[in-house]
């Protein structure tokens, strides 16, 4: 299996907190160790560097505790960047901050016409763009994604509020394969996933409940929450190398490794 070296965008959790609840993982009355969150995030960043990836950082903005979840900052494919529109007002001001970063980095910019939470709900899997809906990204956003990026968009209907973004229920492992939690999808979407990915890895609820599917693969190495031990074993059986990271503090906001990571896909050659 070949590993692709990736260009990634991350945001240090300097102002991380759980001040509001916009998903079932968030409990503003539960304690959060902000310093530990930063250390865990630094370990994730170091893991990517050790794998040979490039990590760029966007400057965190005070008062935006969820800005650490860079996956929600946009969708970047073939040098085009689509900015985001959040469902919840608490996260709205993250959108222009990420947009400004993409623009300064020289990406061709597109603005969303509907709620669109970026790579949290939009995952490139081979030649298909898998697009989640049901909780965050609007179904209407899927047509715009197809028009902008020119990949066939496949709508994925999410049905379990704990798995509110597509990247909490499905991991792209390489051009051909994904791992996912079947029960997180509607019956029709499960049938589509079986058709597109007959060799997919099926995760258990126990794996998904530690956000095990919120993982980042370079085609060979899979960085995933250390607590997702069954999923890691299944992936190793398939020939992937797994690297467990502990993001327990960020999980209190409903996020894992993938949520903290936005893939910057330059041009056609490096998709
Ligand atoms: N608290 C954030 C929210 O609910 C977590 C976002 C996680 N990001 C992701 N790509 N799944 O919006």
């Amino acid at each position: 299996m070949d590993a692709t070296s990736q260009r990634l965008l991350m945001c240090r959790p300097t102002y991380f907190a759980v001040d509001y609840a916009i998903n079932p993982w968030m409990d503003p009355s539960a304690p959060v160790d902000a310093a530990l969150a930063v250390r865990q995030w630094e370990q994730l960043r170091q893991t990517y560097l050790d794998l040979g990836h490039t990590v760029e950082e966007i400057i965190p903005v005070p008062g935006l505790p969820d800005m650490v979840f860079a996956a929600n900052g946009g969708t970047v494919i073939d040098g085009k960047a689509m900015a985001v529109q959040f469902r919840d007002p608490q996260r709205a001001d993250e959108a222009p901050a990420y947009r400004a970063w993409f623009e300064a980095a020289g990406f061709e910019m597109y603005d969303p016409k509907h709620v669109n939470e970026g790579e949290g709900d939009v995952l490139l899997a081979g030649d298909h763009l898998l697009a989640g809906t049901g909780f965050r990204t609007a179904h209407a956003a899927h047509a715009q994604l197809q028009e902008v990026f020119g990949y066939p968009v496949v709508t994925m209907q999410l049905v379990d509020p704990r798995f509110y973004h597509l990247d909490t229920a499905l991991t792209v492992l390489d051009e051909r394969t994904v791992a996912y939690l079947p029960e997180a999808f509607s019956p029709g979407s499960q049938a589509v996933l079986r058709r597109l990915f007959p060799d997919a890895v099926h995760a258990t609820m126990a794996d998904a409940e530690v956000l095990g599917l919120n993982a980042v693969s370079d085609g060979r190495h899979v960085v995933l929450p250390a607590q997702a031990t069954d999923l890691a074993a299944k992936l190793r059986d398939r020939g992937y190398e797994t690297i467990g990271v502990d993001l327990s503090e960020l999980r209190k906001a409903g996020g894992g490794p993938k949520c903290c990571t936005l893939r910057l896909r330059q041009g056609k050659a490096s998709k």
Side-chain angles (χ1 to χ4, degrees):
M1 291 186 190
D2 292 332
T4 324
S5 147
Q6 302 183 337
R7 183 178 175 208
L8 306 171
L9 179 63
M10 298 182 75
C11 180
R12 183 173 292 270
T14 311
Y15 307 106
F16 177 66
V18 179
D19 290 340
Y20 49 80
I22 57 173
N23 69 53
W25 303 81
M26 303 176 87
D27 174 3
S29 69
V32 171
D33 185 338
L36 179 58
V38 172
R39 288 200 298 280
Q40 292 177 333
W41 178 89
E42 281 172 346
Q43 221 150 33
L44 176 65
R45 180 176 168 279
Q46 190 57 47
T47 301
Y48 293 140
L49 295 176
D50 292 345
L51 288 171
H53 301 323
T54 305
V55 177
E56 309 219 22
E57 286 184 48
I58 180 173
I59 298 167
V61 177
L64 297 177
D66 273 335
M67 192 171 167
V68 58
F69 300 118
N72 300 126
T75 303
V76 184
I77 301 170
D78 297 341
K80 300 173 186 173
M82 175 113 134
V84 294
Q85 183 180 319
F86 285 94
R87 182 196 66 177
D88 299 288
Q90 293 95 330
R91 296 197 67 184
D93 289 346
E94 295 177 42
Y98 278 96
R99 191 192 189 287
W101 192 93
F102 299 132
E103 199 153 43
F107 290 100
E108 192 182 322
M109 286 307 307
Y110 294 86
D111 287 306
K113 295 195 196 120
H114 310 276
V115 170
N116 179 330
E117 299 203 354
E119 251 198 349
D121 273 323
V122 185
L123 297 173
L124 185 63
D127 283 329
H128 290 97
L129 261 187
L130 305 180
T133 192
F135 298 102
R136 301 293 183 87
T137 297
H139 186 219
H142 296 185
Q144 191 190 3
L145 286 160
Q146 176 162 291
E147 204 52 40
V148 166
F149 293 112
Y151 289 83
V153 169
V154 181
T155 291
M156 294 281 114
Q157 193 71 48
L158 296 163
V159 297
D160 183 329
R162 288 171 299 172
F163 310 113
Y164 56 94
H165 276 141
L166 180 62
D167 71 357
T168 63
L170 183 144
T171 309
V172 177
L173 295 170
D174 57 40
E175 302 262 300
R176 289 165 303 279
T177 327
V178 300
Y180 65 98
L181 176 73
E183 320 72 302
F185 296 90
S186 68
S189 295
Q190 290 184 35
V192 170
L193 286 169
R194 285 195 299 271
R195 197 180 290 276
L196 283 179
F197 307 106
D199 299 326
V201 175
H202 290 186
T204 62
M205 184 56 87
D207 292 323
E209 280 177 335
V210 291
L211 288 177
L213 288 161
N214 197 250
V216 175
S217 173
D218 65 11
R220 178 185 173 90
H221 311 96
V222 185
V223 179
L224 80 173
Q227 295 82 0
T229 49
D230 288 349
L231 179 60
K234 282 183 191 164
L235 294 174
R236 285 193 298 271
D237 281 349
R238 298 286 189 103
Y240 297 96
E241 280 178 43
T242 59
I243 299 140
V245 290
D246 186 7
L247 290 186
S248 60
E249 293 310 298
L250 295 164
R251 193 162 70 227
K252 294 174 181 172
K258 171 58 207 163
C259 299
C260 295
T261 314
L262 178 67
R263 180 90 184 271
L264 301 169
R265 297 178 188 82
Q266 222 55 55
K268 296 229 152 47
S270 58
K271 71 173 185 177

